[in-house]
Amino acid sequence: MSGFDLSAILKDPAYVGMLLHGVEMTFVIFAGSWLLAMTLAITLLSIRFSPFRLGEYFVSAYVSYHRNVPTLVQLMLWYFGIFTLMPDGLTSWLSAHNAETIFAIVGLGLCQAAYFSEDLRSGLRSVSSGQMEAAKALGHGYLSAMRFVILPQGVRNALPPIINHSVSLFKNSSLAIIIGAPELTHAVKEIENLSFRTFEIYVIGTVLYLFFSLLIMGAGAYLSLRADPVQRARA
Amino acid sequence: MITDIITIIQDYWLLLLIGQYPNGPLGGLVNTLILSALSISLAFPISILFALARLSKWRLLRWPVTALVYVTRGVPLLMLVLWSYFLVPLLTGADVPSFLTMLTTLVIYQGAFLSEVVRGGILTLGHGQMEAAKALGHSYLGAMRFIILPQALYNMIPSIISTFVSTIKDTTIGYVINVPDLTFAASQVNNQLLTQPFQVFLILALVYYVICWSLTQVANVIERRITRRRAGVARAAAATLAPSKILSEQP
């Protein structure tokens, strides 16, 4: 094998196609699980803030499980375990519709929801209780005080950890390789097997991951800046 | 279902605990814990060096370490594991066991993450500590060694335990390069049974849960204790300055 040569991979349309497909599927998994996680996180938070005690226990058990069990094991339990317990009709439908990707989205999304809901909760808790009292004194009802006073501040406080956890979610999408989802790491491994250019393909894969991670971090930093009226007025 | 789980545990507990040992390499839960403990104890001194380098006034020291930390934090651990799997044997020219490959990766990865924790701990102490130490005649390193680091690291104990928990969780990624750990043992059990994958992986999840949850609880207890101690120190200091104000606050 000759020396370091990126063009051996980048000039081969077949390899480039595999890489692009990998990036695409990584983003499908990332976007799908992000949306699932955020929806679930808001649902969990609503249950937690509701007056039922049982809901509170359920949510803390949910969060505790998903934070204390490795994500890889959670994915294994979904794909190798729960998948086999499903009724036949559902199993064959899932198999026909890229079950690996679907389970990666479900597994990562359910896991990430625990982190997102904690981020949102601590963001909301950091809004001082005086804000609610002041809003009520100004004639706001509970819902309208939430809508105009508490939530805007709470969500803004929650942005930095949510951005951090979004980057981890993006990186964790690589774990989907163990259940065989065709994402970026999968494409990298496949190209490695075909081309034997291990060093080059790892450089390309690493640069791609780093590029998108930094992009998400940058977009998040921009968003936090935009969401802060003080910073925005200064800019 | 529950009887299945109990039967699996009765039949395979030794394999899950120590792997093939003594007829093969040490594995299972014990190996997972050894790998995590080694990783964190090697990553710890490295993280202090990284943090000091990132806070250093010399660019030659600051920039490469900052770049390393950013790369490590921006790339999936799985990618770094694959890198080590490929590079470590190439650099050492020897056949390296997967345990060592995983250990190398985890030390660098957790070192980078812990260095942010240590850096945060040092930064929250404020400039006054360093200035006071220097005024007392300490050099930079002496001040770090005797004044700054002991306080910063004490405050960071809960975060360090959390990093230990994430290290335990991260060891599972060694599965892709066949590190004989708990996850590997569970998949071996699954391959032998074939019929009860859900039960096997549920046991796996529960074992990790029990360990990580207990450690998280320890971190919480220590965090509360540190907060209380800090509050106590602050109250005592305030009491000597303004005793009347403190008295009026008591119920």
Side-chain angles (χ1 to χ4, degrees):
Chain A
M1 200 200 307
S2 57
F4 183 75
D5 182 16
L6 283 179
S7 63
I9 288 164
L10 292 178
K11 278 191 179 149
D12 190 322
Y15 293 153
V16 172
M18 286 161 81
L19 274 173
L20 286 179
H21 184 247
V23 170
E24 185 194 335
M25 290 317 285
T26 286
F27 269 93
V28 166
I29 294 173
F30 173 60
S33 49
W34 197 93
L35 285 175
L36 176 64
M38 202 37 101
T39 318
L40 262 174
I42 294 169
T43 315
L44 287 171
L45 206 64
S46 320
I47 297 174
R48 195 157 218 169
F49 282 151
S50 75
F52 306 109
R53 256 334 246 296
L54 221 61
E56 166 105 34
Y57 291 132
F58 167 74
V59 175
S60 15
Y62 182 94
V63 170
S64 184
Y65 170 80
H66 286 93
R67 294 218 305 190
N68 287 314
V69 175
T71 314
L72 187 99
V73 175
Q74 290 177 33
L75 283 177
M76 286 173 142
L77 187 60
W78 274 106
Y79 187 72
F80 301 124
I82 296 172
F83 193 17
T84 54
L85 294 183
M86 286 177 169
D88 284 343
L90 190 57
T91 311
S92 48
W93 185 86
L94 282 170
S95 301
H97 291 84
N98 202 345
E100 294 82 13
T101 308
I102 293 175
F103 275 102
I105 290 174
V106 169
L108 290 170
L110 289 178
C111 173
Q112 204 63 30
Y115 290 93
F116 280 168
S117 96
E118 288 296 279
D119 293 343
L120 286 171
R121 188 166 80 111
S122 52
L124 283 176
R125 278 207 325 200
S126 63
V127 179
S128 86
S129 55
Q131 295 285 325
M132 179 55 102
E133 286 160 20
K136 284 199 172 161
L138 287 172
H140 279 289
Y142 175 80
L143 282 181
S144 111
M146 268 292 182
R147 158 85 183 73
F148 293 105
V149 181
I150 308 294
L151 279 179
Q153 299 183 67
V155 170
R156 196 190 311 138
N157 292 342
L159 270 180
I162 284 182
I163 294 158
N164 272 340
H165 282 141
S166 300
V167 176
S168 336
L169 176 62
F170 176 72
K171 296 194 295 170
N172 278 346
S173 70
S174 65
L175 295 181
I177 193 182
I178 59 120
I179 59 173
E183 41 72 66
L184 180 53
T185 313
H186 192 272
V188 165
K189 286 298 285 177
E190 223 158 60
I191 296 172
E192 185 203 354
N193 287 338
L194 291 172
S195 69
F196 299 108
R197 292 198 167 270
T198 313
F199 197 76
E200 287 90 341
I201 188 59
Y202 282 171
V203 167
I204 294 172
T206 307
V207 167
L208 280 172
Y209 270 114
L210 193 62
F211 173 74
F212 289 119
S213 293
L214 292 176
L215 203 69
I216 297 169
M217 281 184 218
Y222 176 73
L223 199 69
S224 320
L225 206 71
R226 282 295 307 270
D228 189 341
V230 181
Q231 294 277 357
R232 200 168 45 191
R234 229 180 258 158
Chain B
M1 175 72 90
I2 291 175
T3 45
D4 287 346
I5 288 176
I6 293 171
T7 321
I8 294 173
I9 293 176
Q10 275 171 347
D11 291 351
Y12 292 102
W13 67 272
L14 197 63
L15 180 66
L16 290 171
L17 191 66
I18 56 170
Q20 307 280 350
Y21 192 80
N23 305 314
L26 184 66
L29 177 59
V30 172
N31 213 24
T32 292
L33 292 178
I34 292 176
L35 181 58
S36 319
L38 270 179
S39 305
I40 201 90
S41 41
L42 292 174
F44 185 59
I46 286 180
S47 74
I48 294 175
L49 291 181
F50 279 5
L52 291 183
R54 286 201 65 187
L55 291 169
S56 154
K57 53 178 187 271
W58 295 310
R59 272 179 231 153
L60 217 62
L61 218 56
R62 198 170 65 223
W63 284 358
V65 176
T66 308
L68 179 73
V69 170
Y70 266 84
V71 171
T72 332
R73 285 163 50 103
V75 174
L77 177 58
L78 183 60
M79 205 71 197
L80 296 176
V81 171
L82 294 177
W83 266 114
S84 311
Y85 191 57
F86 158 63
L87 272 185
V88 172
L90 206 70
L91 292 175
T92 55
D95 200 16
V96 179
S98 54
F99 179 90
L100 225 75
T101 307
M102 196 60 202
L103 181 64
T104 319
T105 321
L106 280 174
V107 167
I108 294 171
Y109 187 74
Q110 298 299 349
F113 273 84
L114 257 184
S115 83
E116 293 290 275
V117 170
V118 175
R119 197 170 67 103
I122 293 174
L123 285 177
T124 50
L125 274 183
H127 289 294
Q129 296 286 332
M130 181 53 98
E131 283 160 19
K134 285 201 171 163
L136 288 172
H138 278 294
S139 65
Y140 175 81
L141 282 181
M144 268 294 166
R145 160 84 183 74
F146 294 106
I147 312 287
I148 307 286
L149 280 179
Q151 296 185 72
L153 295 181
Y154 175 74
N155 289 346
M156 289 296 127
I157 293 173
S159 307
I160 292 167
I161 299 177
S162 311
T163 314
F164 189 55
V165 174
S166 48
T167 312
I168 294 178
K169 294 197 287 172
D170 285 342
T171 54
T172 53
I173 293 177
Y175 178 75
V176 289
I177 58 168
N178 293 328
V179 176
D181 68 340
L182 178 60
T183 312
F184 185 80
S187 73
Q188 275 183 319
V189 173
N190 183 41
N191 289 341
Q192 283 177 30
L193 283 170
L194 286 174
T195 48
Q196 298 162 324
F198 176 72
Q199 286 84 335
V200 172
F201 288 110
L202 189 65
I203 295 172
L204 181 66
L206 290 177
V207 173
Y208 277 114
Y209 178 79
V210 168
I211 295 164
C212 295
W213 182 84
S214 325
L215 275 170
T216 313
Q217 294 311 106
V218 172
N220 288 343
V221 169
I222 293 177
E223 186 158 21
R224 272 199 294 276
R225 187 170 294 173
I226 289 176
T227 318
R228 217 167 25 201
R229 216 184 108 153
R230 298 251 121 193
V233 169
R235 217 175 16 241
T240 52
L241 290 174
S244 58
K245 189 171 172 290
I246 292 298
L247 279 180
S248 67
E249 269 172 16
Q250 271 166 9

